[in-house]
Amino acid sequence: MKKLTLLSVAVTVALAGCSGDDGKNGQNGIDGTNGLSSLVLQTQLAVGDTVCRNGGVKIDSGLDADSNGALSTDEVSSTEHVCAPTITSLSSNDVAVTANNTWFTEGENQVAAAKSLAAKIAKESGKAKNVILFVGDGMGISTVTAARILEGQSKGKLGEEHSLSFDTMPFSGFSKTYNVDAQTPDSAGTMTAMIAGVKTDIGVVGVAEGAERGSCLSTKGQELVSAAELAELAGKSTGIISTARITHATPASAYAKSADRNWEDVSDMPESEAENCEDIASQLVNFEKNLEARFMGVDVDGLDVVMGGGRRHFLPKDAAFNSADAVSAVEGDRTDGRDLTAEWQAQYPMGQYVMDQTGFDAINPALTNKVFALFNESHMQYEADRKNDIAGEPSLSEMTAKAIDILDNNDKGFFLTVEAGRIDHGHHAGNAHAALTDTIEFSKAVQAAMNATSDEDTLIIVTADHSHVFTIAGYPKRGNPILGKVVGIGKDQPSLAADGMPYTTVGYSNGGGFKDLGSEADADEGYYHSVVAGRVDLTAVDTTAPGFFQEAMVPLSSETHAGEDVGIYASGPGAHLVTGTNEQSYIFHVMDYAADLVKKADAAVQ
């Protein structure tokens, strides 16, 4: 089979007689036979032809038996293919549709950026001076996706193409969230795994699986060492931030050892247990003393920044100790008469105890080395409802930025853990608006940390303790409001289910179900309304309003956690280790590798 050097040799379809005598007048022709003409038919072949895959020319030849001047199929006696050469490169015109496409160019740019970021990552151990662990409580993959879209739409975009701050981090992986004794976990067991490197049972804080929940004495010998404690022993500054009560399971795992996550203050403990174990709030205030007692001969200076909610667990059950913004007639819960805020102030006379926005704003990071901030009687407000706080309270991003400004005064670096605790609470209430707006604020807090630190010396890990039974479903068109009803591609009216009623894109597999509370921004108000099972006609309901609670398939008083994997995102020294699917306890080991926490703490103890 011949090859053409140039495709242009394949001329358009042509009919040509051969040169020489055509054999007319009964004479044998030079090129014909018995007075017949010899004809050649050339047919151009398109790319993809079965014989010439890259195109070419098919050349048929034969005698014009019927003397009509045309070569018919039955007159063809010989066929030859002249194929175009194999294409080894494409011209700019050949790939214009691809190369000029926005998705294609964005992908190319992303590869270049990823290569640049990866090249900057310090891969040797001990290169991280600072470590920040961000935990979006209950922030499963569907929550990240929906929050990304919601924030994008709030900025005038279609939404799906938007990125949250941690979406841009160069490394990511997955975390398996189960507890040792539970397929679907809770925050106590999961955060203990992340911050101490050991998976444990549901409901226990800072202790290994050998402890029995609710049995104080069973924790003896089962106490784990958290990354915060290791950092403290290594001479680093340490901080804990949460929008939940600071004694809640996730933040408590950084500093406490408890057989029950619910033992937030002494009034929560059975008397028999309180005689032998210290409640979680008391352990926070006595963090320095307890750590020095556990590791004899060390000298630490205690937690430097503590910010969150939960004042009730630090104050006596006496109205005389009520704060200015107390919601309950008696704010404090403690039955032992102790005012732990006063005890903290006595330990750190130069430290600042604050309880509102004014006090927070007055903190001068350059002149402050200790801050204890309790902004609410119980949990802090949902971000969507924060403006309604009686005394005012800072956002998670504001707390994160100020904490870093204080902690980075230490030349040895710092360890900080930041929890967006109310993502979880919004989901439990069945209110996607609350959960997603708190996730967006969480993303802003991560961005604040990225802005205030350097990839060269700060490892930032962003993850979740567990997921929720929160779904994104249906076939809505691109840019359809993520909190809205499903509207199909090319449609302008909501799609209808088999029951003839519209349905929302996001929803819950279980929980309290539908409620329409309009502009109400406090998702906890939903608990004061009945559980609604089954479908509701949403035709006239504004499902994007803060007070709309999504339908749930299985009616429960509170929506539950889910058991699937959650994401891990990382930047900075050691971030390259965050890849693939991992046990949740692996996160601690990444932080340890990056900052040499165990090695440095061990040197201090010896």
Side-chain angles (χ1 to χ4, degrees):
M1 195 176 292
K2 296 180 180 178
K3 291 185 178 180
L4 295 176
T5 341
L6 295 174
L7 190 58
S8 57
V9 171
V11 295
T12 55
V13 177
L15 184 66
C18 295
S19 59
D21 191 339
D22 60 6
K24 290 180 180 179
N25 300 318
Q27 300 297 318
N28 290 333
I30 297 174
D31 297 312
T33 301
N34 299 323
L36 302 178
S37 295
S38 178
L39 302 179
V40 176
L41 177 66
Q42 299 184 48
T43 306
Q44 186 171 356
L45 303 175
V47 174
D49 180 76
T50 54
V51 177
C52 293
R53 305 302 296 174
N54 293 299
V57 178
K58 176 185 175 185
I59 305 173
D60 293 316
S61 60
L63 297 177
D64 185 14
D66 55 10
S67 301
N68 67 350
L71 188 65
S72 60
T73 302
D74 57 353
E75 293 173 336
V76 174
S77 61
S78 175
T79 298
E80 183 178 8
H81 289 83
V82 182
C83 297
T86 301
I87 299 173
T88 58
S89 63
L90 297 175
S91 70
S92 58
N93 288 335
D94 293 325
V95 296
V97 173
T98 297
N100 296 334
N101 186 282
T102 301
W103 300 107
F104 190 85
T105 56
E106 284 181 356
E108 286 187 316
N109 293 338
Q110 190 173 352
V111 167
K115 287 171 62 178
S116 177
L117 286 171
K120 294 178 182 177
I121 296 296
K123 296 178 174 60
E124 303 86 0
S125 66
K127 292 296 183 179
K129 176 182 176 181
N130 312 310
V131 176
I132 307 176
L133 174 61
F134 280 95
V135 180
D137 198 317
M139 190 183 71
I141 297 297
S142 57
T143 300
V144 172
T145 302
R148 176 192 304 141
I149 295 171
L150 183 61
E151 183 178 47
Q153 292 177 344
S154 74
K155 296 178 179 294
K157 302 179 181 179
L158 291 174
E160 295 83 359
E161 75 284 13
H162 183 64
S163 294
L164 296 173
S165 61
F166 49 90
D167 283 327
T168 66
M169 289 183 166
F171 294 94
S172 63
F174 293 100
S175 170
K176 296 188 284 185
T177 64
Y178 67 93
N179 295 141
V180 170
D181 60 346
Q183 193 171 71
T184 297
D186 86 325
S187 298
T190 52
M191 184 58 174
T192 296
M194 288 188 280
I195 205 161
V198 175
K199 273 185 173 278
T200 190
D201 289 344
I202 199 168
V204 298
V205 172
V207 294
E209 63 184 282
E212 178 186 347
R213 185 172 184 178
S215 172
C216 171
L217 294 177
S218 72
T219 64
K220 305 307 178 184
Q222 295 295 314
E223 300 94 337
L224 300 171
V225 183
S226 74
E229 291 170 318
L230 291 171
E232 187 72 22
L233 292 168
K236 295 181 182 293
S237 292
T238 51
I240 303 169
I241 297 173
S242 178
T243 52
R245 294 191 297 271
I246 204 67
T247 49
H248 218 231
T250 303
S253 298
Y255 62 83
K257 322 296 171 192
S258 180
D260 198 312
R261 59 174 288 172
N262 295 323
W263 291 351
E264 295 183 60
D265 74 63
V266 69
S267 70
D268 300 319
M269 304 175 69
E271 288 186 18
S272 59
E273 303 302 325
E275 291 174 359
N276 299 302
C277 284
E278 187 179 17
D279 64 82
I280 293 172
S282 181
Q283 289 187 58
L284 174 58
V285 172
N286 289 329
F287 177 79
E288 177 181 345
K289 181 177 70 175
N290 290 344
L291 194 57
E292 290 178 344
R294 187 176 181 189
F295 299 98
M296 298 297 293
V298 301
D299 182 20
V300 297
D301 64 356
L303 296 167
D304 299 285
V305 176
V306 176
M307 296 182 185
R311 274 198 307 265
R312 72 189 192 197
H313 298 299
F314 295 85
L315 298 175
K317 195 170 185 177
D318 183 340
F321 291 86
N322 281 8
S323 304
D325 64 346
V327 177
S328 305
V330 178
E331 181 178 23
D333 281 352
R334 300 195 66 86
T335 53
D336 57 4
R338 293 171 64 190
D339 177 358
L340 298 186
T341 63
E343 290 184 21
W344 182 88
Q345 194 72 76
Q347 284 187 64
Y348 307 107
M350 300 302 292
Q352 295 187 50
Y353 169 70
V354 300
M355 50 76 63
D356 57 16
Q357 183 76 50
T358 300
F360 175 84
D361 292 341
I363 297 172
N364 184 341
L367 303 176
T368 303
N369 61 359
K370 298 284 182 186
V371 172
F372 187 25
L374 297 174
F375 295 109
N376 209 293
E377 179 179 317
S378 183
H379 303 301
M380 292 179 67
Q381 304 289 348
Y382 289 101
E383 177 60 24
D385 198 39
R386 186 165 57 87
K387 64 181 181 298
N388 295 321
D389 186 75
I390 297 172
E393 60 183 42
S395 66
L396 186 63
S397 55
E398 290 172 335
M399 290 191 289
T400 300
K402 184 152 287 189
I404 293 172
D405 278 349
I406 296 169
L407 297 172
D408 66 7
N409 293 331
N410 186 341
D411 291 338
K412 293 184 178 181
F414 64 84
F415 176 86
L416 173 65
T417 180
V418 181
E419 184 208 17
R422 308 232 66 190
I423 298 171
D424 176 73
H425 300 163
H427 279 321
H428 277 310
N431 182 265
H433 183 276
L436 299 183
T437 50
D438 267 60
T439 304
I440 292 170
E441 176 56 31
F442 177 67
S443 172
K444 293 177 181 177
V446 175
Q447 187 63 60
M450 294 168 72
N451 293 343
T453 59
S454 168
D455 276 346
E456 295 181 2
D457 65 3
T458 302
L459 169 65
I460 299 178
I461 293 180
V462 181
T463 188
D465 46 359
H466 55 74
S467 183
H468 275 267
V469 293
F470 174 67
T471 63
I472 304 175
Y475 296 100
K477 61 185 177 181
R478 173 81 186 278
N480 196 60
I482 190 65
L483 293 175
K485 300 159 196 169
V486 171
V487 177
I489 299 170
K491 307 294 183 181
D492 57 10
Q493 294 299 316
S495 302
L496 300 181
D499 56 13
M501 295 187 291
Y503 54 98
T504 55
T505 302
V506 298
Y508 294 94
S509 295
N510 61 42
F514 167 81
K515 296 170 190 67
D516 182 12
L517 305 186
S519 61
E520 176 58 64
D522 182 0
D524 293 348
E525 287 296 316
Y527 290 114
Y528 297 103
H529 297 261
S530 300
V531 173
V532 176
R535 294 271 285 132
V536 175
D537 189 354
L538 304 176
T539 302
V541 177
D542 180 6
T543 64
T544 66
F548 175 75
F549 292 69
Q550 283 72 20
E551 295 168 301
M553 182 173 69
V554 178
L556 295 175
S557 60
S558 176
E559 180 265 2
T560 71
H561 296 171
E564 74 267 17
D565 299 348
V566 297
I568 318 171
Y569 312 81
S571 65
H576 67 291
L577 299 176
V578 176
T579 182
T581 301
N582 313 277
E583 295 292 352
Q584 198 161 36
S585 47
Y586 175 71
I587 293 172
F588 166 87
H589 298 280
V590 174
M591 297 188 294
D592 176 43
Y593 177 88
D596 274 344
L597 295 175
V598 172
K599 184 188 297 183
K600 291 176 180 176
D602 190 52
V605 171
Q606 292 178 353

